Structures are given as C-alpha cells and as structure tokens.
C-alpha cells in the first residue's frame, strides 16, 4: 500500500516537473513551428538561435549582473534581427518547399553559428544566475524548482501573446493566410515577402527569448542548440507543425513523458520514449494532434 | 473606356505554349467571357494577368498602364481581383478573417466594417457562417466566400476562374445571379468558364481552343458558334 502511494506520488511529481519543463520545450518549439507553418521552412538552425539567447542570458548575468529574465525583450529583438538576416541570406530562396537542399542549408547555418559561438564564448559550459536560482517551492509532498516555475510562466505568457498576435491583429491574420495558401494570399493583396520576413523574425525572436529563459536553470555550451533540436522537432510533430497552441501542448507532452521516464525508470533513457512517440506519430498521425487543415 | 487590354499574350511552360498570341480588350462595365474546353489556356491567361505566371511575351494594360512584371499583390492593389480556380479559400481562417485579410484600406472607399456588411448583403449565407473556419464550408459557400473575398478589394475588374465548377446547377445559377448583381453595382467582370450557360450573363467574349482565340464577338455571336452548339449537343 505504502509502496503504491509512494509510486503515485513520484508519478505526480514527475508530471508536475514535466509540465514545467515541457512548457519551456513548448516555447522553444513554437518558433520552428511558425516558420514551417508559414513558409514550409524547417530551420535546423533554430536551436542555435536558442543557444545565442542562452549566452545572452549568461552575459547579462555574469558581466552585467542583470537577471536574464530582464533581458528577454533584448534577446527577442536581437535574435529577430539575426533571424531576418538568416532569412534574407539563406531561407528566402527556399520559401514554399522544405527540400533536402533547404535542410542542408539550415544545417550549414547551424554549424556556422556554433563555430562563431565557440570562438566568442569558448567551448566551456556556462551558467547564468537569476534572482530565483536555487530556490524551491514545497507544495504539499511536491518539490518544484522556482526557476522552472518562472520559466513556465514566461513560456505560457509568450505563447498566449503569439496566439493573440496571430488571431486578432491584421498582420497575424495575413500571416495565417500565407500559411494556408501563399499564392492565394498574394492574389488578395498580401505582400507575402514582407509577411515572410516578419514571420521569420518572430520565429527567431522567440528562439532567443526561449533561450534566455531556459538558461536560468539549464547550462549552455556551443552545441546546446543542436542537442535541443530533437526535443523541439518531436514537440512540434506531436503538437502539429504550424499550430502554435498545439506545439506548446506538444512540448508539455514531451516534458511529462521525459520526466516520467527519468523518475520512474532511468534518467539516461529519458528521451527514448519520445523517439518512439515520434515514430508512432509519423506513422499514424503525421499532422500531430492539432495540425492545420489543408484545402 | 477600355479597362483591360491584352495584346498578343503568350504563356508557356518550358517548351509548351499554353497561350499563343491572344488579344482581347474589356470595356468598363461589361461582363467579358473567356470560354474554352479543358486545357484551352484559360487559367494560364488569368494567372499571367495576375502576375502568378509570367507571360512569355505580349502586353497587359490596365487603364492604359502596363502591369506586366507586377507582383500578384501589386495587381490586386491596382484593382484587379482574381477568384482562383478551385476557390482556394483559407481553410484555417474564419469566414470573416478570410474577408478581413483581403481588405486593403488604401483601396477601400469605406471602413472594413462597412465593406464586410456589403459582402454579407451580397451573400447573407456568409454572415450566418462568419465565425466558422473556411475549410468547413460547403462547396457553394466556399465559392461565395471566394467571390466575397475578392469584393473586399473593391475591384475595378473582377476575374473569376470557373466559379460554377463542381456546383449543382441550382448553386451555379445562384452564383451567376450574384455576378449579375455585382455587375449591376458597376464592377466589370472577366468570367472564365467551360459551361456555356454563363453566356446569358455575357456582354462579349472570346472562345479559346489550344491557346488560340477561335472566335471573338458579342453574346449572340458566341451563342451561335459551333463550339457552343457542340457543347450543348454534347458531341
Ligand atoms: N504549371 C504547369 N506546368 C506545365 N504545364 C501546364 C501548367 N499549367 C498548365 N499547363 C498546361 O497548359 C495548358 C493550358 O492549361 P490551363 O490550365 O491554362 O487550361 P484551362 O483552360 O484553364 O483548363 P481547365 O478548363 O482544365 O482548367 C494545358 O495543356 C496544361 O496542361
Ligand atoms: Mg483552368
């Protein structure tokens, strides 16, 4: 009886932590989902944009003594600008078709961005400290990390803001029209190139913002972005490429499954069920839970 | 006054010429019909007017100014709306958002809310469905939405690519009846069809075959043509 109760508590603890880290996986992923939904571009360098967001947090906290949470707008804007440059230089030519060349170009971008990070920041693992670092909340029998709670809250707010932007503003509606049918959006007077660059900047800005949140509890190193990509892609696939809310929930699913595996089975294998899930989704429900309607 | 003048327009895909030196011009206030069988080149002509498929050669003048080389959104902003083949509504946008994205403040003589009301007056069915996702509409409703969406641009020229395709005869009649109303309100129409019943609406037009104009004339000339008779006899 006691054993059962202990196992149940552990499972609940895993679910709670899973929701918290999953929310951050969600916000890491929505930018990728947006760029795919609008332009059919799979930005394999999305993780690198996250990585720069993380280093921005490290610099803010270690060099200037500023909490990484306070520089979120800066990370957003800087990465949005870098993302626009990346779009103009590389992705503009691939809009509308996720080809093999597009994937290779993106991986090339990722490697270049990693190398630049290594030159600037070195290969060492770096951490940032936030106001909440090391704090915990004890909630009944559960034990939750304060930085993760705060990061989750930021993730929820960011996701809601993006949803609001896409659903209520004229610009957002134009973005969704381009996502549905770029050619027809042009026919009704939407300047699709202008929308695309904006959507890509938003996607990159979100990556930077997510990185600066993540670094409050997760250390960074030049290849951290690459190691985050599988989770980002799995979250996006489960939730539905192109659906922002769906992708966020996909992130939460990933977080829960990962934490359950780690706590109840083996933390070295925490990502294995995620890959199994990825394969199941690709086989049986490739549009994810909330994939967009196609014509 | 001539609203649109096409002169020796050719459109090609690689080596294949879909449209060869087609010329016609459309006066303000009329319904001009482009009639032709499958593969005659009708869609190619509309797409090249809109800037989606660049012309191989020839000229396209709107109100006396060349629009060759314009991007599709620039053509729309010049007052030419294109209701594409297969309706192509935005499936994940609500009916109302489908209309809103097509509203261009700089072109509109009235605020968005009034423009919406005007479209809903034309197609009351859309008002009932305003909050529904476009992708959930029936074929007939989608066609109404596609036309309503084009009207949000207050076009000088409304181009429609086979609006009756896939609709029941009753619905097709309803669509043609609404087009007659749009014409009465003063919009010039370029109507592409295979279905000769649309000629009732026509002022003038051309018949296309294999990318060539085989006949140009007013409604009666077209109605009396071999093409139309054959189509009616089903030969
Ligand atoms: N994207 C394309 N690539 C290659 N060939 C094309 C393309 N689009 C059209 N064609 C060819 O050009 C010719 C004219 O096509 P188009 O679509 O303009 O005809 P249409 O009159 O609109 O026919 P339908 O009534 O079937 O819609 C056809 O032979 C078609 O196969
Ligand atoms: Mg056609």
């Amino acid at each position: 009886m006691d054993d059962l109760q202990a196992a149940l508590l552990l499972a609940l603890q895993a679910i709670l932590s899973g929701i918290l880290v999953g929310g951050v996986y969600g916000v890491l992923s929505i930018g990728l989902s947006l760029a795919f939904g609008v332009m059919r571009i799979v930005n394999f360098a999305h993780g690198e944009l996250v990585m720069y967001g993380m280093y921005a947090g490290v610099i803010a906290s270690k060099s200037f003594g500023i909490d990484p949470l306070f520089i979120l707008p800066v990370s957003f804007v800087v990465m949005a600008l870098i993302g626009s440059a990346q779009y103009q230089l590389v992705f503009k030519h691939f809009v509308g078709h996720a080809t093999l060349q597009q994937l290779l170009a993106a991986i090339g971008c990722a490697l270049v961005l990693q190398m630049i990070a290594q030159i600037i920041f070195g290969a060492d693992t770096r951490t940032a400290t936030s106001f909440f670092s090391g704090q915990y909340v004890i909630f009944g029998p559960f034990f939750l990390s304060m930085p993760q709670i705060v990061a989750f809250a930021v993730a929820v707010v960011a996701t809601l803001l993006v949803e609001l932007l896409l659903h209520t503003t004229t610009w957002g509606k134009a973005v969704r029209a381009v996502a549905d049918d770029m050619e027809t959006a042009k026919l009704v007077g939407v300047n699709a190139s202008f929308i695309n660059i904006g959507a890509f900047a938003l996607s990159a800005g979100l990556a930077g913002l997510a990185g600066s949140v993540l670094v409050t509890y997760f250390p960074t190193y030049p290849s951290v972005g690459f190691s985050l990509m599988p989770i980002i892609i799995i979250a996006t696939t489960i939730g539905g490429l192109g659906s922002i809310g769906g992708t966020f929930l996909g992130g939460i699913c990933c977080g829960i499954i990962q934490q359950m595996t780690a706590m109840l089975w083996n933390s070295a294998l925490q990502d294995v069920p995620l890959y199994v899930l990825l394969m199941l989704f690709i086989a049986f429900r490739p549009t994810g839970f909330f994939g967009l309607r196609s014509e | 006054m001539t609203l649109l003048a096409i002169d020796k327009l050719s459109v090609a895909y690689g080596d294949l010429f879909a449209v060869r030196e087609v010329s016609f011009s459309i006066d303000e206030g009329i319904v001009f019909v482009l009639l032709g069988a499958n593969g005659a080149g009708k869609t190619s002509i509309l797409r090249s007017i809109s800037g989606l498929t660049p012309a191989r050669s020839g000229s396209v003048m709107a109100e006396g100014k060349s629009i060759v080389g314009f991007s599709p959104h620039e053509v729309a902003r010049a007052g030419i709306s294109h209701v594409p083949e297969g309706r192509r509504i935005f499936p994940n946008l609500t009916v109302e958002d489908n209309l809103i994205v097509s509203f261009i403040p700089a072109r509109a003589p009235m605020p968005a809310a009034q423009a919406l009301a005007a479209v809903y007056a034309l197609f009351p069915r859309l008002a009932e469905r305003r909050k529904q996702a476009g992708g959930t509409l029936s074929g007939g409703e989608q066609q109404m939405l596609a036309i309503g969406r084009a009207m949000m641009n207050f076009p000088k020229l409304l181009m429609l690519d086979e609006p009756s395709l896939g609709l029941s005869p009753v619905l097709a009649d309803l669509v043609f009846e609404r087009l007659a109303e749009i014409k009465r309100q003063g919009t010039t129409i370029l109507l592409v069809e295979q279905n000769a019943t649309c000629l009732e609406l026509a002022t003038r037009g051309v018949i296309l075959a294999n990318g060539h104009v085989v006949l140009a004339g007013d409604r009666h000339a077209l109605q009396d043509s071999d093409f139309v008779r054959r189509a009616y006899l089903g030969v």
Side-chain angles (χ1 to χ4, degrees):
Chain A
M1 198 59 216
D2 277 356
D3 273 1
L4 184 65
Q5 205 179 10
L8 261 174
L9 281 180
L10 198 59
L12 275 175
Q13 169 76 50
I15 290 174
L16 284 176
S17 319
I19 290 174
L20 295 184
V21 296
V24 175
Y25 292 156
V27 79
L28 286 172
S29 311
I30 56 180
L32 183 98
S33 190
L34 179 73
F36 180 83
V38 176
M39 290 159 274
R40 306 294 182 272
I41 282 174
V42 181
N43 184 8
F44 237 88
H46 190 76
E48 274 55 47
L49 304 176
V50 171
M51 177 263 290
Y52 279 99
M54 294 175 81
Y55 276 112
V58 170
I59 293 168
S61 110
K62 297 289 165 177
S63 308
F64 298 99
I66 301 171
D67 194 302
L69 294 170
F70 288 148
I71 63 147
L72 297 183
V74 179
S75 300
F76 179 90
V77 170
V78 171
M79 293 322 293
L81 291 174
I82 293 178
S84 321
Q86 198 193 6
Y87 175 81
Q88 282 296 334
L89 290 172
V90 183
F91 292 121
K92 191 166 76 178
H93 313 290
F94 296 106
V95 166
H97 29 83
T99 55
L100 188 60
Q101 285 93 326
Q102 186 262 290
L103 220 59
L104 285 174
I107 291 172
C109 265
L111 293 175
V112 170
L113 289 170
Q114 265 183 46
M115 195 184 69
I116 295 174
Q118 181 136 359
I119 293 168
I120 301 178
F121 307 113
D124 297 341
T125 297
R126 311 277 299 270
T127 55
T129 32
S130 117
F131 177 72
F132 301 104
S133 292
Q135 295 183 25
Y136 284 89
V137 175
I138 302 199
F139 171 61
F142 304 116
F143 195 74
L144 300 173
S145 134
M146 194 62 192
Q148 286 185 0
I149 293 176
V150 173
F152 178 78
V154 172
V156 170
V157 170
T159 306
L160 286 177
L161 284 178
V162 174
E163 283 282 46
L164 213 62
L165 179 70
L166 291 177
H167 283 85
T168 62
T169 67
T170 312
W171 182 79
K173 289 171 186 182
V175 170
R176 289 166 52 230
V178 172
D180 268 1
D181 185 339
M182 189 174 307
E183 196 172 87
T184 305
K186 292 177 184 169
L187 282 186
V188 301
V190 173
N191 183 345
S193 340
F194 179 73
I195 292 293
N196 285 343
I197 190 163
F200 203 88
L202 176 60
S203 158
L206 284 166
L209 177 142
S212 297
V213 176
L214 180 65
V215 81
T216 59
Y217 66 85
F218 195 87
T220 184
Y221 43 93
S223 62
V224 68
F226 224 65
S227 63
L228 288 168
M229 273 317 273
I231 289 254
I232 292 177
I233 289 182
I234 295 170
T236 311
T237 309
I238 295 177
L241 267 169
S243 158
I244 302 305
T247 298
F248 182 76
L249 293 178
I252 290 193
C253 281
C254 286
I256 292 175
I257 292 167
Q258 194 192 49
Q259 294 298 309
M260 297 265 280
T261 315
M263 289 196 200
L264 303 178
W265 185 26
N266 181 344
S267 66
L269 300 177
Q270 62 176 12
D271 291 342
V272 173
L274 293 178
Y275 284 97
V276 175
L277 201 65
L278 174 70
M279 289 180 253
L280 289 175
F281 264 90
I282 289 173
F284 298 109
R285 201 175 161 90
T287 54
F289 278 131
F290 299 95
L292 295 181
R293 216 177 264 116
S294 57
E295 299 119 85
Chain B
M1 191 195 138
T2 304
L3 193 54
L4 187 81
I6 306 284
D7 192 40
K8 297 209 173 74
L9 179 74
S10 295
V11 183
Y13 303 97
D15 289 342
L16 179 115
F17 275 79
V19 177
R20 290 165 196 272
E21 306 213 323
V22 164
S23 305
F24 58 84
S25 66
I26 302 177
D27 287 338
E28 220 163 348
I30 72 165
V31 175
F32 191 94
V33 168
L34 264 176
L35 206 58
N38 284 120
K42 308 179 294 295
T43 299
S44 302
I45 292 177
L46 292 199
R47 287 179 61 91
S48 77
I49 295 171
S50 283
L52 287 173
T53 303
R56 192 54 73 88
S57 59
S59 75
V60 181
M61 313 272 272
E63 297 180 293
K65 289 190 222 74
S66 171
I67 57 166
V68 171
F70 275 34
S71 310
H73 72 271
E74 292 169 333
V75 175
R77 285 165 191 223
I80 299 177
S81 283
H82 182 165
V83 179
E85 190 169 53
R87 330 184 209 300
R88 308 267 294 258
I89 48 104
F90 302 117
N92 294 291
L93 266 57
T94 61
V95 166
E96 191 142 302
D97 286 349
N98 264 273
L99 298 171
I100 296 270
V101 286
S102 316
F103 180 76
I104 300 170
R107 279 199 51 73
M110 55 179 80
Q114 274 176 25
L116 276 177
V119 168
Y120 289 147
L122 206 53
F123 298 110
R125 193 57 173 270
L126 296 181
E128 293 166 27
R129 303 256 183 272
R130 73 212 304 163
K131 296 287 172 222
Q132 202 170 312
T136 65
L137 297 182
S138 72
E141 289 163 350
Q142 291 192 3
Q143 189 62 62
M144 295 176 200
L145 180 54
I147 297 172
R149 192 173 60 179
M151 294 309 288
M152 288 297 282
N153 186 33
F154 297 90
K156 290 180 189 143
L157 178 67
L158 175 65
M159 309 197 292
L160 304 106
D161 197 342
E162 300 202 43
S164 72
L165 192 72
L167 300 188
S168 71
V170 176
L171 273 175
D173 279 352
L174 178 97
V175 165
F176 288 141
E177 185 271 316
R178 294 288 78 190
L179 291 181
E181 172 63 23
I182 288 170
K183 181 202 170 197
R184 265 196 298 281
Q185 292 176 4
T187 306
T188 310
I189 294 176
L190 170 52
L191 178 59
V192 158
E193 271 294 341
Q194 303 194 31
N195 175 353
T197 54
C198 73
L199 284 176
E200 317 232 326
L201 206 69
T203 319
R204 305 184 53 77
V206 295
I207 292 174
L208 279 178
N210 299 321
H212 293 280
V213 172
V214 292
L215 182 74
D218 63 9
R219 173 177 40 180
H220 302 294
L222 299 180
Q223 276 171 336
D224 291 340
S225 68
D226 283 350
F227 174 87
V228 171
R229 287 168 184 227
R230 257 202 316 263
Y232 272 129
L233 292 171
V235 179

